[in-house]
């Protein structure tokens, strides 16, 4: 059985660093915009924005450090024994580390993009940090109240960030759409929580597990409503309609963050809820998840084929990936959950990379988002074209990239669980996805550029983030489990980390 | 009949009167919303009689205040000109609402008849003291997180509403 958690104030370290970081940035931004010079340099908005981004990345790095230490120690810690709402264990730490890295990459990708639009404000980074604080709280929540508060803290800043480019109508539209639909989803989730509380008399996951009765209609209705709420957040069919519009309208770095971090955090919380509160072996749930998975894979990948806008295409592709991820939930086994955790890591880097290229290609006030904008890119911007090709191959799941390992892992787990149709659907839809993923590399190499590129340089933050994403995608593609960093002698068994982390949910 | 019982029937009467006023004022939306306020505030009075002071305060602040204000905002933004539905359609809508009301009523009656005897609420349940102690001992972490939510919401509102961000 799982050892009982111990009390320690250090549980709060990751949340503390990100929350305090958000406040520090707000104060620092106010001081910077008032002062005229710092360290002998005149404070321009771009300079202030860069400093704010550095502060954000500093605090995120501190949070990453304490999370890695917590993961290595392997303890389960809570803040208090009576009604613990937040627990720091290996499962939470694994997801937290991923979220924090995504946050660092998002900040690195944002600086020059925001400067070009003239909206490089401190509030942006403060809101990103606030959102990550909520996401970290969500992945460690072991109580429905914690899930709710974490979810709200994660999404409220994103409502604002989606509309951060206030001069553009599309961005405003994305914000209001995400706000209305997101609030609706949260309300449904909350209603489900109220019903579960009514049926079991508790909000704590462990106590729900003891009192849960799968034959009670109130309890099952509650679980159903909670699942619908989560399905909205991970953009699974049939609760996906908001995703393409919001992904298209929001500023590209926020789209990248949303598609990766929100999905990872919501999936992690869903896994924890299903495994520790209602029991992964519940039959009816597997059927529901299987239906969601098949629908998401088919609808997402088919709709992506007809998109002319890269951000919309990636939105539908992310719906398809959500369907693939759900396969792991259908198995209800530790192996399936570990496959999801690994897939989330891989998906984060390849999707951030793909959006990173879109961001790096954006010109002042004009996004490079039509598929045709990629024509002839191999000649004009060979580095970016190579990176984009790698990320597209990985998203499609071509061997040699991390995306292949993630899908392969999932298929193996599904077949071990005696499932036939879900892996077949995954393979068939992956073949369909080849069409729209490979369209971009083909356009980049085969077609002449329609117009000369107006921007040829690449900001250092973008370059670093893209290099890191590409390196991870290649590294995990060849060494998913036994990778060694040769010059450091550091072993990176990512698959083992994923399977270790889920043992916290199942007990060993 | 002692004083609290008298108060209870007064509030109960006001609750029903407010509810009737809400559906009777079909032409005047503002009057309907104000009748809803009467219902909500009278319900809060009943909570006070039950000793649940904190819940009564929430009832007034959230239902009597925030939600009705939201209604009024929606009415004001929507303006006066509301499209008249064709009479046949209107009758259908009315019939459907009556049907839904009857179903809800039947469901409530069925749930209340033969409802198991509930254990008595703990002493002081729903009072400010008990709610405060619970919030700042068992749920202190959640209170802190909610303060973060409020901070993010304030910053977000400023970002979206300010004419020029400096």
């Amino acid at each position: 059985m799982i050892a009982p958690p111990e009390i320690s104030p250090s549980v709060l370290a990751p949340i503390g660093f990100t929350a305090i970081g958000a406040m520090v940035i707000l104060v620092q931004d106010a001081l910077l915009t008032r002062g005229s010079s710092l360290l002998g340099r005149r404070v321009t908005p771009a300079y202030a924005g860069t400093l704010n981004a550095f502060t954000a990345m500093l605090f995120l790095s501190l949070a990453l450090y304490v999370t890695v230490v917590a993961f290595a120690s392997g303890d389960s810690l809570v803040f208090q024994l009576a009604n613990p709402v937040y627990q720091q264990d290996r499962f939470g730490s694994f997801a937290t580390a991923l979220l924090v890295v995504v946050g660092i990459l998002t900040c690195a990708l944002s600086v020059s993009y925001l400067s070009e639009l003239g909206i490089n404000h401190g509030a942006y980074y403060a809101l990103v940090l606030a959102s990550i604080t909520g996401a970290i709280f969500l992945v460690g929540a072991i109580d429905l109240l914690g899930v709710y508060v974490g979810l709200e803290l994660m999404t409220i800043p994103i409502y604002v960030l989606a509309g951060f480019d206030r001069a553009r109508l599309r961005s405003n539209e994305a914000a209001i759409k995400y706000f209305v639909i997101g609030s609706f989803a949260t309300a449904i989730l909350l209603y489900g929580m109220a019903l579960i509380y009514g049926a079991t008399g508790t909000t704590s996951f462990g106590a729900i597990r003891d009192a849960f009765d799968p034959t009670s209609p109130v309890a099952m209705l509650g679980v159903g409503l909670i699942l619908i709420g989560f399905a909205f957040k991970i953009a699974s069919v049939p609760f996906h309609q908001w995703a393409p519009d919001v992904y298209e309208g929001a500023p590209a770095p926020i789209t990248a963050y949303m598609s990766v971090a929100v999905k990872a955090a919501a999936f992690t919380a869903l896994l924890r809820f299903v495994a520790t509160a209602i029991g992964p072996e519940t039959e009816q749930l597997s059927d529901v998840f299987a239906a969601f998975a098949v629908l998401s894979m088919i609808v997402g990948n088919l709709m992506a084929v007809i998109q002319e806008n890269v951000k919309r295409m990636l939105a539908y592709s992310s719906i398809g990936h959500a369907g693939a991820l759900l396969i792991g939930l259908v198995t209800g086994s530790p192996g399936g959950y570990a496959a999801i955790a690994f897939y989330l890591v891989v998906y984060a880097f390849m999707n951030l990379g793909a959006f990173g290229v879109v961001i790096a290609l954006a010109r002042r006030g004009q996004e490079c988002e039509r598929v045709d904008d990629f024509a002839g890119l191999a000649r004009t911007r060979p580095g970016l074209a190579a990176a984009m090709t790698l990320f597209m191959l990985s998203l499609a799941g071509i061997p040699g990239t991390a995306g292949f390992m993630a899908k392969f892992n999932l298929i193996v787990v599904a077949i071990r669980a005696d499932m036939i149709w879900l892996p077949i659907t995954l393979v068939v839809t992956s073949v369909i996805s080849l069409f729209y993923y490979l369209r971009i590399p083909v356009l980049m190499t085969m077609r002449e550029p329609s117009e000369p590129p107006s921007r040829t340089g690449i900001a250092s933050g973008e370059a670093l983030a893209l290099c890191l994403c590409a390196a991870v995608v290649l590294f995990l593609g060849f060494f998913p489990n036994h990778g060694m960093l040769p010059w450091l002698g550091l072993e990176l068994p990512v698959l083992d980390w994923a399977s270790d982390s889920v043992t916290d949910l199942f007990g060993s | 009949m002692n004083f609290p019982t008298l108060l209870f029937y007064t509030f109960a009467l006001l609750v029903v009167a407010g509810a009737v006023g809400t559906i009777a004022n079909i032409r005047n939306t503002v009057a309907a919303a104000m009748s809803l306020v009467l219902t909500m505030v009278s319900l809060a009075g009943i909570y006070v009689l039950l000793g649940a002071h904190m819940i009564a305060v929430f009832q007034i602040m959230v239902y009597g205040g925030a939600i009705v204000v939201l209604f009024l905002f929606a009415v004001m933004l929507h303006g006066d000109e509301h499209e008249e539905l064709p009479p046949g359609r209107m009758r259908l809508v009315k019939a459907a609402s009556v049907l839904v009301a009857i179903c809800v009523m039947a469901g409530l009656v069925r749930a209340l008849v033969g409802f198991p005897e509930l254990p008595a609420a703990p002493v002081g349940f729903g009072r400010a003291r008990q709610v405060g102690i619970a919030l700042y001992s068992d749920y202190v972490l959640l209170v802190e997180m909610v303060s973060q939510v409020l901070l993010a919401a304030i910053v977000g509102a400023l970002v979206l509403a300010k004419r020029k961000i400096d």
Side-chain angles (χ1 to χ4, degrees):
Chain A
M1 273 314 290
I2 312 167
E6 292 164 43
I7 302 184
S8 161
S10 73
V11 242
L12 298 185
I15 315 176
F17 276 125
T18 51
I20 292 170
M23 293 182 246
V24 167
I25 289 171
L26 286 175
V27 175
Q28 171 187 305
D29 188 53
L31 293 177
L32 279 176
T33 43
R34 284 172 69 110
S36 56
S37 71
L38 181 82
L39 301 173
R41 269 185 76 173
R42 215 171 63 77
V43 177
T44 58
Y47 184 44
T50 312
L51 280 180
N52 289 328
F54 267 113
T55 312
M57 286 192 265
L58 174 71
F59 276 97
L60 286 170
S61 311
L62 290 171
L64 179 63
Y65 173 73
V66 290
T67 309
V68 169
V69 170
F71 183 84
S73 77
D75 298 331
S76 292
L77 302 174
V78 290
F79 183 61
Q80 54 191 10
L81 278 182
N83 292 305
V85 290
Y86 176 79
Q87 176 175 324
Q88 187 183 50
D89 49 21
R90 276 178 303 178
F91 185 66
S93 295
F94 186 78
T96 304
L98 175 65
L99 290 168
V100 171
V101 171
V102 168
I104 294 174
L105 291 175
T106 307
C107 289
L109 286 172
S110 299
V111 180
S112 123
Y113 182 90
L114 294 180
S115 292
E116 291 233 329
L117 290 171
I119 50 169
N120 202 351
H121 307 303
Y124 177 91
Y125 301 102
L127 287 171
V128 169
L129 280 185
S131 173
I132 292 176
T133 311
I136 296 175
F137 197 67
L138 175 62
V139 300
I142 53 167
D143 189 295
L144 291 176
L145 295 170
V147 169
Y148 177 70
V149 173
L151 201 65
E152 283 291 89
L153 183 52
M154 175 175 76
T155 44
I156 285 180
I158 301 179
Y159 299 149
V160 180
L161 289 169
F164 207 79
D165 188 2
R166 295 190 307 172
R168 214 156 46 93
L169 207 57
R170 283 270 178 193
S171 183
N172 289 298
E173 183 196 334
I176 195 85
K177 269 191 181 156
Y178 194 40
F179 173 64
V180 172
I181 296 178
S183 320
F184 185 62
T186 316
I188 292 179
L189 188 83
L190 197 55
Y191 194 20
M193 289 177 179
L195 288 181
I196 290 200
Y197 180 65
T200 62
T202 175
T203 55
S204 164
F205 282 4
I208 291 175
R209 180 81 189 258
D210 297 333
F212 187 71
D213 170 20
T215 56
S216 143
V218 175
M220 279 322 272
L221 186 62
V223 171
L225 290 176
I226 288 185
L227 291 188
I228 290 176
F230 274 116
F232 266 110
K233 295 292 170 197
I234 61 174
S236 156
V237 176
F239 307 103
H240 66 288
Q241 284 95 342
W242 58 273
D245 289 347
V246 176
Y247 281 24
E248 184 190 352
I254 290 309
T255 312
Y257 172 76
M258 218 175 354
S259 69
V260 170
V262 173
K263 196 171 292 240
F267 247 107
T268 315
L270 180 60
L271 292 186
R272 196 191 280 277
F273 174 70
V274 172
T276 62
I278 44 183
E281 63 280 352
T282 314
E283 283 270 328
Q284 300 105 307
L285 282 184
S286 301
D287 296 344
V288 174
F289 287 135
F292 278 4
V294 170
L295 280 176
S296 300
M297 282 188 284
I298 293 177
V299 173
N301 284 307
L302 281 182
M303 291 297 286
V305 170
I306 56 170
Q307 301 305 321
E308 286 301 322
N309 180 308
V310 180
K311 277 157 99 182
R312 280 188 91 82
M313 184 202 93
L314 286 172
Y316 278 108
S317 114
S318 96
I319 294 170
H321 283 285
L325 282 159
L326 282 169
I327 295 177
L329 257 172
V330 181
T331 64
S333 64
Y337 283 36
I340 294 183
F342 181 69
Y343 202 122
L344 283 172
V345 173
V346 171
Y347 178 73
F349 285 100
M350 59 194 186
N351 216 36
L352 269 182
F355 275 112
V357 175
V358 175
I359 292 166
L361 285 171
R363 295 169 288 266
R364 174 180 288 275
Q366 195 197 343
E367 301 243 5
C368 166
E369 46 180 32
R370 283 179 308 129
V371 173
D372 291 337
D373 289 342
F374 284 82
L377 212 64
R379 197 155 310 156
T380 51
R381 312 282 301 271
L384 283 179
M388 191 65 174
T389 309
L390 173 66
F391 297 131
M392 287 294 130
L393 291 178
S394 181
L395 281 166
I398 303 290
T401 60
F404 169 74
M405 286 299 172
K407 279 186 182 165
F408 181 71
N409 207 4
L410 211 50
I411 291 173
V412 169
V413 171
I415 291 175
R416 275 203 198 127
D418 289 332
M419 291 190 292
I420 310 281
W421 288 108
L422 286 173
I424 289 181
T425 318
L426 178 58
V427 171
V428 170
T429 50
S430 294
V431 172
I432 298 173
S433 75
L434 274 177
F435 173 74
Y436 61 85
Y437 285 132
L438 291 188
R439 204 169 136 205
I440 289 180
V442 167
L443 270 176
M444 289 194 296
T445 48
M446 302 294 190
R447 190 94 68 80
E448 288 297 313
S450 49
E451 54 191 83
S454 54
R455 184 178 144 210
T456 46
I458 180 167
S460 47
E462 292 163 359
L464 280 175
L466 283 177
C467 286
L468 181 66
C469 289
V472 171
V473 166
L474 277 177
F475 183 82
L476 291 182
F478 287 103
F479 311 107
N481 207 13
H482 303 293
M484 292 269 278
L485 280 183
W487 59 94
L488 286 176
L490 204 63
E491 204 183 350
L492 298 172
V494 181
L495 260 177
D496 281 350
W497 290 341
S499 3
D500 283 352
S501 70
V502 294
T503 54
D504 284 353
L505 298 184
F506 288 89
S508 42
Chain B
M1 191 187 283
N2 56 0
F3 188 57
T5 321
L6 189 71
L7 274 181
F8 171 78
Y9 281 113
T10 316
F11 281 130
L13 202 67
L14 285 174
V15 170
V16 176
V20 170
T22 310
I23 52 169
N25 281 304
I26 200 159
R27 297 271 154 225
N28 188 344
T29 328
V30 175
M34 295 326 280
S35 308
L36 192 62
V37 174
L38 181 66
T39 304
M40 296 303 180
V41 173
S42 312
L43 266 181
I46 293 180
Y47 292 152
V48 172
L49 289 179
L50 288 171
H53 303 153
M54 204 62 198
I55 296 176
V57 171
F58 289 152
Q59 171 78 13
I60 291 178
M61 273 177 14
V62 176
Y63 289 92
I67 289 184
V68 172
V69 167
L70 208 62
F71 269 132
L72 289 178
F73 264 125
V75 169
M76 281 192 280
L77 288 177
H78 190 250
D80 247 353
E81 74 296 355
H82 50 273
E83 317 90 71
E84 280 288 319
L85 289 170
R89 200 72 175 287
M90 198 65 202
R91 231 171 285 145
L92 200 69
V93 170
K94 276 184 184 162
S97 354
V98 170
L99 195 71
V100 170
I102 289 174
C103 288
V104 171
M105 191 71 198
L108 280 177
V109 169
R110 193 170 160 269
L112 285 177
V113 171
F115 199 76
E117 190 84 5
L118 285 177
V123 179
F125 183 79
R127 295 203 179 186
R129 189 182 155 79
Q130 268 67 26
V131 173
I133 288 175
L135 279 184
Y136 285 95
S137 61
D138 290 349
Y139 297 108
V140 64
L141 194 53
L142 282 175
V143 172
E144 290 303 317
M145 292 311 283
V146 170
S147 75
Q148 288 289 315
V149 175
L150 288 179
L151 176 71
I154 292 171
V155 173
L158 275 177
V159 166
L160 289 182
K162 241 170 122 181
R163 198 151 296 175
K164 178 178 170 297
I165 311 173
D166 42 30

